[in-house]
PDB file of all heavy atoms in Angstrom:
ATOM      1  N   SER Z   3       1.718   4.928   0.949  1.00 60.00           N
ATOM      2  CA  SER Z   3       1.278   5.881   1.950  1.00 60.00           C
ATOM      3  C   SER Z   3       0.971   7.258   1.356  1.00 60.00           C
ATOM      4  O   SER Z   3       1.531   7.585   0.261  1.00 60.00           O
ATOM      5  CB  SER Z   3       2.339   6.016   3.073  1.00 60.00           C
ATOM      6  OG  SER Z   3       3.474   6.501   2.480  1.00 60.00           O
ATOM      7  N   TRP Z  46       2.379  23.160  -3.353  1.00 98.00           N
ATOM      8  CA  TRP Z  46       1.131  23.094  -2.660  1.00 98.00           C
ATOM      9  C   TRP Z  46       0.308  24.378  -3.115  1.00 98.00           C
ATOM     10  O   TRP Z  46       0.847  25.479  -2.984  1.00 98.00           O
ATOM     11  CB  TRP Z  46       1.195  23.136  -1.195  1.00 98.00           C
ATOM     12  CG  TRP Z  46       1.821  21.737  -0.643  1.00 98.00           C
ATOM     13  CD1 TRP Z  46       3.211  21.446  -0.527  1.00 98.00           C
ATOM     14  CD2 TRP Z  46       1.030  20.701  -0.265  1.00 98.00           C
ATOM     15  NE1 TRP Z  46       3.179  20.234  -0.013  1.00 98.00           N
ATOM     16  CE2 TRP Z  46       2.061  19.692   0.085  1.00 98.00           C
ATOM     17  CE3 TRP Z  46      -0.313  20.378  -0.200  1.00 98.00           C
ATOM     18  CZ2 TRP Z  46       1.690  18.367   0.509  1.00 98.00           C
ATOM     19  CZ3 TRP Z  46      -0.611  19.037   0.180  1.00 98.00           C
ATOM     20  CH2 TRP Z  46       0.241  18.095   0.534  1.00 98.00           C
ATOM     21  N   ALA Z  51     -12.365  27.391  -6.267  1.00 96.00           N
ATOM     22  CA  ALA Z  51     -13.650  27.483  -5.828  1.00 96.00           C
ATOM     23  C   ALA Z  51     -13.767  28.047  -4.362  1.00 96.00           C
ATOM     24  O   ALA Z  51     -14.921  27.841  -3.744  1.00 96.00           O
ATOM     25  CB  ALA Z  51     -14.547  26.208  -5.959  1.00 96.00           C
ATOM     26  N   ASP Z  69       4.121  19.300 -13.586  1.00 97.00           N
ATOM     27  CA  ASP Z  69       3.391  19.122 -14.794  1.00 97.00           C
ATOM     28  C   ASP Z  69       1.944  19.209 -14.598  1.00 97.00           C
ATOM     29  O   ASP Z  69       1.118  18.974 -15.434  1.00 97.00           O
ATOM     30  CB  ASP Z  69       3.749  17.808 -15.455  1.00 97.00           C
ATOM     31  CG  ASP Z  69       5.185  17.727 -15.822  1.00 97.00           C
ATOM     32  OD1 ASP Z  69       5.622  18.682 -16.451  1.00 97.00           O
ATOM     33  OD2 ASP Z  69       5.861  16.720 -15.684  1.00 97.00           O
ATOM     34  N   THR Z  71      -0.027  17.474 -12.424  1.00 97.00           N
ATOM     35  CA  THR Z  71      -0.687  16.244 -11.896  1.00 97.00           C
ATOM     36  C   THR Z  71      -1.001  16.406 -10.411  1.00 97.00           C
ATOM     37  O   THR Z  71      -0.105  16.646  -9.588  1.00 97.00           O
ATOM     38  CB  THR Z  71       0.110  15.040 -12.129  1.00 97.00           C
ATOM     39  OG1 THR Z  71       0.326  14.849 -13.538  1.00 97.00           O
ATOM     40  CG2 THR Z  71      -0.594  13.709 -11.601  1.00 97.00           C
ATOM     41  N   ASP Z  74      -2.137  15.007  -4.081  1.00 96.00           N
ATOM     42  CA  ASP Z  74      -2.670  14.946  -2.866  1.00 96.00           C
ATOM     43  C   ASP Z  74      -3.628  16.108  -2.492  1.00 96.00           C
ATOM     44  O   ASP Z  74      -3.480  17.120  -3.159  1.00 96.00           O
ATOM     45  CB  ASP Z  74      -1.600  14.931  -1.640  1.00 96.00           C
ATOM     46  CG  ASP Z  74      -2.183  14.473  -0.267  1.00 96.00           C
ATOM     47  OD1 ASP Z  74      -3.070  13.652  -0.249  1.00 96.00           O
ATOM     48  OD2 ASP Z  74      -1.776  15.128   0.639  1.00 96.00           O
ATOM     49  N   ILE Z  89       7.256  29.815 -12.638  1.00 98.00           N
ATOM     50  CA  ILE Z  89       8.057  30.694 -11.818  1.00 98.00           C
ATOM     51  C   ILE Z  89       8.975  29.852 -10.887  1.00 98.00           C
ATOM     52  O   ILE Z  89      10.131  30.123 -10.720  1.00 98.00           O
ATOM     53  CB  ILE Z  89       7.214  31.719 -11.019  1.00 98.00           C
ATOM     54  CG1 ILE Z  89       6.665  32.669 -12.044  1.00 98.00           C
ATOM     55  CG2 ILE Z  89       8.056  32.457  -9.934  1.00 98.00           C
ATOM     56  CD1 ILE Z  89       5.738  33.695 -11.421  1.00 98.00           C
ATOM     57  N   HIS Z 101      -0.890  34.912  -7.245  1.00 98.00           N
ATOM     58  CA  HIS Z 101      -1.478  35.698  -8.268  1.00 98.00           C
ATOM     59  C   HIS Z 101      -2.817  36.256  -7.768  1.00 98.00           C
ATOM     60  O   HIS Z 101      -3.724  35.520  -7.310  1.00 98.00           O
ATOM     61  CB  HIS Z 101      -1.621  34.946  -9.619  1.00 98.00           C
ATOM     62  CG  HIS Z 101      -2.543  35.614 -10.672  1.00 98.00           C
ATOM     63  ND1 HIS Z 101      -2.252  36.802 -11.135  1.00 98.00           N
ATOM     64  CD2 HIS Z 101      -3.705  35.208 -11.161  1.00 98.00           C
ATOM     65  CE1 HIS Z 101      -3.177  37.112 -11.967  1.00 98.00           C
ATOM     66  NE2 HIS Z 101      -4.110  36.263 -11.982  1.00 98.00           N
ATOM     67  N   PRO Z 104      -5.927  42.693  -7.072  1.00 98.00           N
ATOM     68  CA  PRO Z 104      -6.267  43.904  -6.155  1.00 98.00           C
ATOM     69  C   PRO Z 104      -6.713  45.032  -7.000  1.00 98.00           C
ATOM     70  O   PRO Z 104      -6.079  45.335  -8.060  1.00 98.00           O
ATOM     71  CB  PRO Z 104      -5.031  44.127  -5.446  1.00 98.00           C
ATOM     72  CG  PRO Z 104      -3.897  43.603  -6.203  1.00 98.00           C
ATOM     73  CD  PRO Z 104      -4.483  42.355  -6.997  1.00 98.00           C
ATOM     74  N   PRO Z 116       5.816  54.202 -15.150  1.00 95.00           N
ATOM     75  CA  PRO Z 116       6.454  53.668 -13.995  1.00 95.00           C
ATOM     76  C   PRO Z 116       5.557  53.906 -12.707  1.00 95.00           C
ATOM     77  O   PRO Z 116       4.830  54.961 -12.756  1.00 95.00           O
ATOM     78  CB  PRO Z 116       7.796  54.450 -13.976  1.00 95.00           C
ATOM     79  CG  PRO Z 116       7.580  55.661 -14.706  1.00 95.00           C
ATOM     80  CD  PRO Z 116       6.652  55.284 -15.721  1.00 95.00           C
ATOM     81  N   ASP Z 125       9.033  52.107  -2.878  1.00 94.00           N
ATOM     82  CA  ASP Z 125      10.588  51.907  -2.828  1.00 94.00           C
ATOM     83  C   ASP Z 125      10.873  50.471  -2.460  1.00 94.00           C
ATOM     84  O   ASP Z 125      12.103  50.122  -2.305  1.00 94.00           O
ATOM     85  CB  ASP Z 125      11.141  52.907  -1.901  1.00 94.00           C
ATOM     86  CG  ASP Z 125      11.139  54.264  -2.552  1.00 94.00           C
ATOM     87  OD1 ASP Z 125      11.170  54.387  -3.876  1.00 94.00           O
ATOM     88  OD2 ASP Z 125      10.971  55.320  -1.900  1.00 94.00           O
ATOM     89  N   HIS Z 133       4.098  42.407 -17.785  1.00 97.00           N
ATOM     90  CA  HIS Z 133       3.854  41.344 -18.712  1.00 97.00           C
ATOM     91  C   HIS Z 133       2.764  41.827 -19.741  1.00 97.00           C
ATOM     92  O   HIS Z 133       1.591  42.152 -19.271  1.00 97.00           O
ATOM     93  CB  HIS Z 133       3.432  40.101 -18.062  1.00 97.00           C
ATOM     94  CG  HIS Z 133       3.228  38.869 -18.980  1.00 97.00           C
ATOM     95  ND1 HIS Z 133       2.018  38.410 -19.213  1.00 97.00           N
ATOM     96  CD2 HIS Z 133       4.119  38.186 -19.778  1.00 97.00           C
ATOM     97  CE1 HIS Z 133       2.114  37.340 -20.052  1.00 97.00           C
ATOM     98  NE2 HIS Z 133       3.348  37.252 -20.378  1.00 97.00           N
ATOM     99  N   THR Z 142      -1.443  28.041 -19.986  1.00 97.00           N
ATOM    100  CA  THR Z 142      -0.700  26.958 -20.651  1.00 97.00           C
ATOM    101  C   THR Z 142       0.837  27.097 -20.252  1.00 97.00           C
ATOM    102  O   THR Z 142       1.252  28.145 -19.762  1.00 97.00           O
ATOM    103  CB  THR Z 142      -0.728  27.190 -22.258  1.00 97.00           C
ATOM    104  OG1 THR Z 142       0.006  28.331 -22.507  1.00 97.00           O
ATOM    105  CG2 THR Z 142      -2.138  27.248 -22.691  1.00 97.00           C
ATOM    106  N   HIS Z 165      -4.924  42.916 -16.293  1.00 96.00           N
ATOM    107  CA  HIS Z 165      -5.239  41.546 -15.703  1.00 96.00           C
ATOM    108  C   HIS Z 165      -5.086  41.659 -14.112  1.00 96.00           C
ATOM    109  O   HIS Z 165      -6.029  41.454 -13.422  1.00 96.00           O
ATOM    110  CB  HIS Z 165      -4.411  40.557 -16.329  1.00 96.00           C
ATOM    111  CG  HIS Z 165      -4.684  39.110 -15.890  1.00 96.00           C
ATOM    112  ND1 HIS Z 165      -4.286  37.959 -16.590  1.00 96.00           N
ATOM    113  CD2 HIS Z 165      -5.244  38.671 -14.748  1.00 96.00           C
ATOM    114  CE1 HIS Z 165      -4.638  37.053 -15.959  1.00 96.00           C
ATOM    115  NE2 HIS Z 165      -5.227  37.305 -14.766  1.00 96.00           N
ATOM    116  N   THR Z 172      11.016  34.728  -1.056  1.00 98.00           N
ATOM    117  CA  THR Z 172      11.851  33.659  -0.514  1.00 98.00           C
ATOM    118  C   THR Z 172      11.192  32.998   0.686  1.00 98.00           C
ATOM    119  O   THR Z 172      11.740  31.928   1.168  1.00 98.00           O
ATOM    120  CB  THR Z 172      13.161  34.266  -0.099  1.00 98.00           C
ATOM    121  OG1 THR Z 172      12.988  35.210   0.852  1.00 98.00           O
ATOM    122  CG2 THR Z 172      13.864  34.889  -1.344  1.00 98.00           C
ATOM    123  N   SER Z 173      10.115  33.501   1.199  1.00 98.00           N
ATOM    124  CA  SER Z 173       9.412  32.844   2.320  1.00 98.00           C
ATOM    125  C   SER Z 173       7.976  33.338   2.248  1.00 98.00           C
ATOM    126  O   SER Z 173       7.549  34.182   1.564  1.00 98.00           O
ATOM    127  CB  SER Z 173      10.003  33.337   3.637  1.00 98.00           C
ATOM    128  OG  SER Z 173       9.813  34.635   3.850  1.00 98.00           O
ATOM    129  N   PHE Z 203       8.981  64.400  -5.512  1.00 92.00           N
ATOM    130  CA  PHE Z 203       9.346  62.991  -5.266  1.00 92.00           C
ATOM    131  C   PHE Z 203      10.828  62.949  -4.902  1.00 92.00           C
ATOM    132  O   PHE Z 203      11.640  63.721  -5.207  1.00 92.00           O
ATOM    133  CB  PHE Z 203       9.169  62.149  -6.621  1.00 92.00           C
ATOM    134  CG  PHE Z 203       7.650  62.089  -6.995  1.00 92.00           C
ATOM    135  CD1 PHE Z 203       7.231  62.793  -8.150  1.00 92.00           C
ATOM    136  CD2 PHE Z 203       6.808  61.338  -6.237  1.00 92.00           C
ATOM    137  CE1 PHE Z 203       5.912  62.783  -8.438  1.00 92.00           C
ATOM    138  CE2 PHE Z 203       5.497  61.335  -6.595  1.00 92.00           C
ATOM    139  CZ  PHE Z 203       4.988  61.984  -7.773  1.00 92.00           C
ATOM    140  N   THR Z 205      14.766  61.774  -4.702  1.00 92.00           N
ATOM    141  CA  THR Z 205      15.799  61.464  -5.666  1.00 92.00           C
ATOM    142  C   THR Z 205      15.960  59.932  -5.731  1.00 92.00           C
ATOM    143  O   THR Z 205      15.650  59.190  -4.841  1.00 92.00           O
ATOM    144  CB  THR Z 205      17.140  62.128  -5.396  1.00 92.00           C
ATOM    145  OG1 THR Z 205      17.547  61.546  -4.123  1.00 92.00           O
ATOM    146  CG2 THR Z 205      16.870  63.615  -5.199  1.00 92.00           C
ATOM    147  N   HIS Z 224       8.645  41.877  11.207  1.00 96.00           N
ATOM    148  CA  HIS Z 224       7.744  42.610  12.087  1.00 96.00           C
ATOM    149  C   HIS Z 224       6.470  42.919  11.283  1.00 96.00           C
ATOM    150  O   HIS Z 224       5.374  42.959  12.014  1.00 96.00           O
ATOM    151  CB  HIS Z 224       8.429  44.015  12.385  1.00 96.00           C
ATOM    152  CG  HIS Z 224       9.518  43.813  13.401  1.00 96.00           C
ATOM    153  ND1 HIS Z 224      10.398  44.883  13.783  1.00 96.00           N
ATOM    154  CD2 HIS Z 224       9.984  42.713  14.023  1.00 96.00           C
ATOM    155  CE1 HIS Z 224      11.227  44.469  14.690  1.00 96.00           C
ATOM    156  NE2 HIS Z 224      11.047  43.186  14.847  1.00 96.00           N
ATOM    157  N   PRO Z 241     -18.122  38.407  13.773  1.00 47.00           N
ATOM    158  CA  PRO Z 241     -19.066  39.376  12.973  1.00 47.00           C
ATOM    159  C   PRO Z 241     -19.813  40.368  13.693  1.00 47.00           C
ATOM    160  O   PRO Z 241     -20.314  41.292  13.189  1.00 47.00           O
ATOM    161  CB  PRO Z 241     -19.831  38.392  12.207  1.00 47.00           C
ATOM    162  CG  PRO Z 241     -19.874  37.129  12.997  1.00 47.00           C
ATOM    163  CD  PRO Z 241     -18.480  37.032  13.618  1.00 47.00           C
TER     164      PRO Z 241
END
Side-chain angles (χ1 to χ4, degrees):
S3 61
W46 292 89
D69 294 320
T71 302
D74 190 37
I89 290 175
H101 168 59
D125 291 329
H133 183 250
T142 69
H165 182 158
T172 58
S173 67
F203 297 107
T205 65
H224 287 178

